[in-house]
Amino acid sequence: MSERFSPLGTLGAMHIESIAAPDLSWQEQALCAQTGADFFFPEPGSSVREAKRICGLCEMRSACLQYALANDERFGVWGGLSEKERLSLRRTHQQ
Ligand code: SF4
């Protein structure tokens, strides 16, 4: 469908489709999918300790963190890092 509307032609459309539909297969093995999202998106000021503990046991941690950084996820715990920790990591790598 995006090819039909793409001024870039087929290759451009394929690129756009890959951006629009990132590989989320890692989420099938995400431990947080078994525990629920509450730990990972706590109320402001609440502890993220339990979320980080679960992330520490998750085999998808690296893929999860890469996804969060690539997609500029601003809220919650992803890949074992809080919002502030991801922002700090991003700033460190931009220097
Ligand atoms: S690293 Fe944490 S947030 Fe990411 S998939 Fe695993 S449990 Fe979920």
Side-chain angles (χ1 to χ4, degrees):
M1 177 188 273
S2 60
E3 181 180 335
R4 199 166 78 185
F5 300 105
S6 173
L8 304 174
T10 303
L11 287 178
M14 289 171 60
H15 181 66
I16 289 169
E17 284 179 3
S18 70
I19 291 171
D23 179 13
L24 299 176
S25 59
W26 59 269
Q27 292 186 353
E28 294 170 10
Q29 297 176 59
L31 279 185
C32 54
Q34 299 169 27
T35 63
D38 291 352
F39 292 126
F40 299 87
F41 296 94
E43 294 293 319
S46 298
S47 173
V48 293
R49 187 174 179 179
E50 185 61 17
K52 288 184 167 195
R53 188 188 71 76
I54 295 168
C55 290
L57 301 170
C58 180
E59 293 182 11
M60 297 298 110
R61 186 175 175 176
S62 177
C64 176
L65 180 57
Q66 287 178 21
Y67 173 84
L69 294 172
N71 291 282
D72 200 23
E73 292 288 350
R74 300 274 169 109
F75 303 103
V77 174
W78 293 77
L81 298 184
S82 69
E83 300 149 10
K84 288 180 181 176
E85 290 167 333
R86 290 196 307 280
L87 182 61
S88 176
L89 181 65
R90 194 175 288 123
R91 287 180 177 157
T92 300
H93 285 274
Q94 287 174 346
Q95 293 175 355

